[in-house]
Amino acid sequence: MNTSLSWIKAYVPDLDVTPKEYMDGMTLSGTKVEGYEELDKDLEKIVVGQIKTIDKHPDADKLVICQVDIGSETIQIVTGATNVFEGAKIPVVLVGGRVAGGHTEGSKVAGGIKIKKGKLRGVESFGMMCSIEELGSTREMYPDAPEDGIYILPEDTEVGADAIEILGLHDSVFEYEVTSNRVDCYSVIGIAREAAATFEKEFHLPDVKATGEADDVNNYIKVTVKDEELCPRYAARVIKDIKIAPSPKWLQRRLASIGIRPINNLVDITNYVMEEYGQPMHAYDLSTIDGGEIIVKTANKGDKFVTLDGQKRNLDETVLMINDATKPIGIAGIMGGENSMITDDVKTVLFEAATFNGVNIRKSSKKIGLRTDASGKFEKGLDPNNAILAIDRACELVEELGAGTVIRGVVDVYPNPVSEIQIPFDENRINHLLGTSLSKEEMIGYLKRVELEYDSKYNTIDVPTFRQDVLRLEDIAEEVARFFGYDKIPTTLPVGEATFGKLSFSLRVEDTARDIVEFCGFSQSMTYSFESPKAFDKLLISKDSSLRQVVEIRNPLGEDYSIMRTQSINGMLSSLSTNYNRRNKDVRLYELANVYIPKALPLSELPDERMQLTLGMYGDKGDFFTMKGAIEEVFDALGMKLKTTYDPEAGIPYLHPGRQANIIYDGEVVGYLGEVHPEVLDNYDIGTKAYLAVLDMNKIEGLVSFDTKYVGVPKYPATTRDISMVVPKDILVGQIEEVIEKKGGHHLEAFHLFDIYEGNQIKEGFKSIAYSLTFRAKDRTLEEGDINAAMEKILNALENMGIELRK
């Protein structure tokens, strides 16, 4: 939403603030100003001049020498403009003044261009005549400006007057960030009301005079609304004897100041009222309306309609249409039809000011692929009580501008009028909410500024219908706060009863896992849940994989964000790739995030959202076993004390076929880890080995125990034994440890691998492995026989596996 300061002052005449003061004040009171532009910031010493004489330049065919009366004196200006003539009144920038740029430099420049006395082909020139571009504007905003030449002012313009003032450029335009619940502020009147309240000035609504003397509107048009929910109100008035002409300068300047190009008096009036009141209007050529009847109803499925822009639109039964007795003539709230457009030959016009269902307008706009200024306002939900004010204002302007003869009366279909609401007033509750100690009278004074009136009889606040955002006492408290001043509200401690709070079990599990992996050197990563279908091909996932059964986004940002991810690897590898290509040498990342597994396709219920802990790393300081160690650290911190095993036959396509494993805990696969497949590394442009691990946190959660059991310090000494073995390569360390644990007996306290070797000194197909075993009894010092018996069982079991013991 944009407004010019001069337009605001039309309703708040006593407003005397600088643009900076206005921006700061409005922002502090809740109407956020994003910024402003001073239209005259690069313009200085520009006056109205009148050309007295024009002579040819002695040494240049394309230059002329003009004697220009500027009121106080006559100066000489040399110009190459072809549209100047004797008697023309033009804007002149004097020596020492500034212009915005335009033709002078080819583009607008910061600070403007300073004009100096100079010579053009030997003839002195004391200033410059200005085009509209050199005054910082464009022909779009000043339609009467020549395409390439000096701007010619009206004949009755006073010589020597301030040309910038006459052109309406002593003004500032403000851009606001208006929240969707403040529909009233999508109008100049709404912003002016806020300005008056902010700076404590009087607010003056336009004094709209009654219009219409001839005939009766009911003799011209009949209105029938068949869907009152989609069209709560429809008002229509008729103007005959239409005279299409340019709008007066003041109206053109106001529209131009906020970026609306003036067209003609009829179009400009509807645009002006739309901006002034926030009520879009539409004008139909009454001669094109068959049967003199307007029927508001939805379209039929498969209908097609050509809008004013010449495009054919596909409709269905949800799109609300404006129809005459035989055909549709407009899409309600969005755009009129080509078949009822206003032409220069129009004689009688129907003005429409209606209120439509905002949600329906939004959906229809999206469905037909057309969004307009009008639909942008309608979709926010307009106040139905504003429609008559706006249409009467438009008719007043028609008479004021001599654009036609207004027919008496209005056709107003408003079956369910909206009325003011009353909110019980409680000053103590408001003070409690705000932490203030304001009196009742002070609060009522603040509320009155924005037309929220106090009813002493019922102790209520009467809320006008244009304030659709004020629905409860908390909204009243917000109004008090913003005009009292947020910066003035004292600091207070929150008041409430003490409560015992704690994290849910699942969040405790996630927090513990997060702490452990960060302890292991991993940094948190965050990636999108939206992904591209191309990710499956990059990860070498087969065409028939269940991972390709995905939830598709109905209106995605693009193909790269068109599905919900069913795996977390693509995001992690993308993050590792980014780090690798930015020359980060050693990188460890983790992510705790959901994947989305559809229970059935097409979707009949919400997908299964599964939390996954994903680890990724590359660099010289880590390998497969580093990743395995990080997983076991997580398990240990989560109280998962049972033996974890690893199955190398995981069959995961994006991991190296010989360097991957499923992670098995208590007989259940809870995740996997491994080295990334070389082809996948190439697909992600990663030029070094990388490792991944994924844990299904939903499965992990059911295996976690935070119950801790403490064991006393041992009273009796431990005894250790070392065993060294030559082991076939196809036997896994996990199998050996399973035997040691099973045969070691109840005195076996711990064991750990301390050496593994493959090389020339070991026969082919074998590897050397060495373990250290610790034995201890809780009730006595172990004897040699106890240990030897246990060792014999272990060694016999290992020999039965084809393992040779090294002596």
Side-chain angles (χ1 to χ4, degrees), residues 48-163:
V48 176
Q50 184 173 25
I51 301 174
K52 293 300 184 183
T53 62
I54 300 177
D55 297 310
K56 290 184 178 180
H57 193 289
D59 296 319
D61 292 339
K62 294 185 178 181
L63 297 178
V64 294
I65 304 169
C66 300
Q67 302 301 320
V68 181
D69 178 9
I70 59 171
S72 57
E73 61 178 316
T74 298
I75 62 173
Q76 179 171 284
I77 298 177
V78 179
T79 181
T82 58
N83 68 318
V84 295
F85 55 90
E86 291 182 356
K89 292 182 178 178
I90 36 82
V92 175
V93 55
L94 305 178
V95 172
R98 292 183 304 149
V99 289
H103 295 313
T104 307
E105 290 291 332
S107 64
K108 193 173 181 179
V109 293
I113 298 169
K114 193 167 186 177
I115 301 301
K116 301 176 182 178
K117 181 178 75 171
K119 287 186 177 181
L120 278 77
R121 303 291 290 268
V123 177
E124 287 186 320
S125 184
F126 299 89
M128 187 181 78
M129 304 179 197
C130 301
S131 67
I132 199 64
E133 289 80 9
E134 287 158 344
L135 295 173
S137 192
T138 65
R139 290 186 64 249
E140 263 202 343
M141 298 302 117
Y142 288 82
D144 56 337
E147 185 172 350
D148 186 17
I150 304 302
Y151 186 79
I152 307 299
L153 295 163
E155 294 181 5
D156 58 354
T157 307
E158 180 187 352
V159 175
D162 182 352

Side-chain angles (χ1 to χ4, degrees), residues 344-377:
D344 290 343
D345 299 326
V346 65
K347 300 301 179 185
T348 306
V349 162
L350 173 72
F351 269 171
E352 165 195 284
T355 308
F356 303 110
N357 180 283
V359 174
N360 178 262
I361 294 298
R362 171 67 174 161
K363 289 180 177 179
S364 298
S365 177
K366 194 167 186 178
K367 189 168 294 182
I368 67 174
L370 177 63
R371 194 166 190 267
T372 60
D373 289 341
S375 69
K377 292 185 185 293

Side-chain angles (χ1 to χ4, degrees), residues 35-330:
Y36 66 91
E37 179 187 5
E38 296 178 89
L39 301 182
D40 60 353
K41 66 177 179 179
D42 296 330
L43 307 177
E44 189 179 331
K45 295 180 68 174
I46 303 177
V47 300
V48 176
Q50 184 173 25
I51 301 174
K52 293 300 184 183
T53 62
I54 300 177
D55 297 310
K56 290 184 178 180
H57 193 289
D59 296 319
D61 292 339
K62 294 185 178 181
L63 297 178
V64 294
I65 304 169
C66 300
Q67 302 301 320
V68 181
D69 178 9
I70 59 171
S72 57
E73 61 178 316
T74 298
I75 62 173
Q76 179 171 284
I77 298 177
V78 179
T79 181
T82 58
N83 68 318
V84 295
F85 55 90
E86 291 182 356
K89 292 182 178 178
I90 36 82
V92 175
V93 55
L94 305 178
V95 172
R98 292 183 304 149
V99 289
H103 295 313
T104 307
E105 290 291 332
S107 64
K108 193 173 181 179
V109 293
I113 298 169
K114 193 167 186 177
I115 301 301
K116 301 176 182 178
K117 181 178 75 171
K119 287 186 177 181
L120 278 77
R121 303 291 290 268
V123 177
E124 287 186 320
S125 184
F126 299 89
M128 187 181 78
M129 304 179 197
C130 301
S131 67
I132 199 64
E133 289 80 9
E134 287 158 344
L135 295 173
S137 192
T138 65
R139 290 186 64 249
E140 263 202 343
M141 298 302 117
Y142 288 82
D144 56 337
E147 185 172 350
D148 186 17
I150 304 302
Y151 186 79
I152 307 299
L153 295 163
E155 294 181 5
D156 58 354
T157 307
E158 180 187 352
V159 175
D162 182 352
I164 303 309
E165 178 70 29
I166 290 167
L167 288 167
L169 293 173
H170 281 317
D171 204 353
S172 299
V173 176
F174 296 86
E175 180 183 356
Y176 306 87
E177 179 185 309
V178 181
T179 54
S180 57
N181 66 324
R182 287 302 305 272
V183 182
D184 58 304
C185 286
Y186 284 94
S187 67
V188 181
I189 284 177
I191 296 292
R193 185 182 287 112
E194 290 291 309
T198 298
F199 297 102
E200 299 185 60
K201 304 295 183 183
E202 283 193 26
F203 170 67
H204 300 274
L205 269 172
D207 182 16
V208 179
K209 298 178 178 60
T211 55
E213 297 179 1
D215 216 332
D216 182 351
V217 68
N218 294 293
N219 296 329
Y220 289 81
I221 195 72
K222 175 186 175 185
V223 176
T224 303
V225 175
K226 293 192 174 182
D227 195 325
E228 295 173 1
E229 183 180 347
L230 297 186
C231 180
R233 189 173 198 178
Y234 192 101
R237 295 196 69 173
V238 174
I239 299 96
K240 66 179 183 179
D241 303 328
I242 294 294
K243 302 176 182 65
I244 299 293
S247 299
K249 298 297 182 187
W250 67 267
L251 194 150
Q252 289 190 30
R253 299 295 176 261
R254 284 188 181 175
L255 291 177
S257 70
I258 59 173
I260 296 178
R261 182 172 63 90
I263 298 175
N264 60 49
N265 51 6
L266 206 58
V267 175
D268 293 351
I269 285 170
T270 57
N271 283 336
Y272 184 86
V273 172
M274 179 174 70
E275 297 302 319
E276 184 178 41
Y277 280 82
Q279 170 66 56
M281 294 185 58
H282 190 69
Y284 297 97
D285 185 340
L286 191 61
S287 67
T288 66
I289 298 177
D290 294 341
E293 184 176 11
I294 291 290
I295 303 171
V296 184
K297 63 179 182 178
T298 55
N300 298 311
K301 189 172 183 179
D303 283 355
K304 300 185 184 301
F305 182 69
V306 180
T307 45
L308 278 170
D309 56 3
Q311 299 296 312
K312 184 180 288 186
R313 310 290 176 178
N314 297 318
L315 311 174
D316 64 20
E317 66 278 5
T318 66
V319 180
L320 189 66
M321 300 295 292
I322 309 299
N323 305 267
D324 62 18
T326 62
K327 64 183 183 300
I329 57 173

Side-chain angles (χ1 to χ4, degrees), residues 649-675:
E649 302 300 325
I652 298 170
Y654 41 83
L655 296 181
H656 196 294
R659 301 169 190 172
Q660 58 173 274
N662 278 330
I663 303 169
I664 302 173
Y665 184 86
D666 196 20
E668 183 176 13
V669 177
V670 295
Y672 57 86
L673 80 162
E675 181 182 320

Side-chain angles (χ1 to χ4, degrees), residues 68 142 191 251 293 339 379 397 516 535 545 577 639 694 745 762 768:
V68 181
Y142 288 82
I191 296 292
L251 194 150
E293 184 176 11
N339 57 4
E379 67 190 25
L397 289 172
I516 295 303
S545 171
S577 173
V694 176
I762 304 299
S768 173

Side-chain angles (χ1 to χ4, degrees), residues 278-479:
Q279 170 66 56
M281 294 185 58
H282 190 69
Y284 297 97
D285 185 340
L286 191 61
S287 67
T288 66
I289 298 177
D290 294 341
E293 184 176 11
I294 291 290
I295 303 171
V296 184
K297 63 179 182 178
T298 55
N300 298 311
K301 189 172 183 179
D303 283 355
K304 300 185 184 301
F305 182 69
V306 180
T307 45
L308 278 170
D309 56 3
Q311 299 296 312
K312 184 180 288 186
R313 310 290 176 178
N314 297 318
L315 311 174
D316 64 20
E317 66 278 5
T318 66
V319 180
L320 189 66
M321 300 295 292
I322 309 299
N323 305 267
D324 62 18
T326 62
K327 64 183 183 300
I329 57 173
I331 304 177
I334 300 175
M335 185 177 280
E338 192 177 54
N339 57 4
S340 62
M341 67 185 297
I342 301 293
T343 66
D344 290 343
D345 299 326
V346 65
K347 300 301 179 185
T348 306
V349 162
L350 173 72
F351 269 171
E352 165 195 284
T355 308
F356 303 110
N357 180 283
V359 174
N360 178 262
I361 294 298
R362 171 67 174 161
K363 289 180 177 179
S364 298
S365 177
K366 194 167 186 178
K367 189 168 294 182
I368 67 174
L370 177 63
R371 194 166 190 267
T372 60
D373 289 341
S375 69
K377 292 185 185 293
F378 277 122
E379 67 190 25
K380 295 174 176 64
L382 301 184
D383 174 17
N385 292 335
N386 198 35
I388 291 295
L389 296 173
I391 202 167
D392 286 348
R393 172 64 163 160
C395 289
E396 179 191 46
L397 289 172
V398 166
E399 287 195 351
E400 183 180 328
L401 273 54
T405 302
V406 179
I407 300 299
R408 184 176 60 252
V410 56
V411 177
D412 184 14
V413 180
Y414 192 17
N416 301 301
V418 176
S419 57
E420 294 184 347
I421 65 171
Q422 288 76 40
I423 298 175
F425 183 69
D426 184 346
E427 66 270 23
N428 294 325
R429 175 63 178 159
I430 291 174
N431 275 325
H432 180 74
L433 287 169
L434 300 180
T436 56
S437 55
L438 296 170
S439 68
K440 181 177 182 178
E441 290 70 25
E442 287 177 297
M443 294 182 187
I444 292 172
Y446 293 133
L447 296 172
K448 192 172 183 179
R449 292 191 200 175
V450 283
E451 301 181 28
L452 299 173
E453 299 289 345
Y454 175 68
D455 187 333
S456 57
K457 181 178 179 180
Y458 298 102
N459 191 37
T460 58
I461 298 297
D462 295 340
V463 182
T465 56
F466 63 78
R467 286 303 301 271
Q468 299 180 29
D469 61 307
V470 180
L471 302 172
R472 55 188 65 85
L473 186 67
E474 287 76 9
D475 298 324
I476 297 293
E478 184 180 0
E479 295 300 300

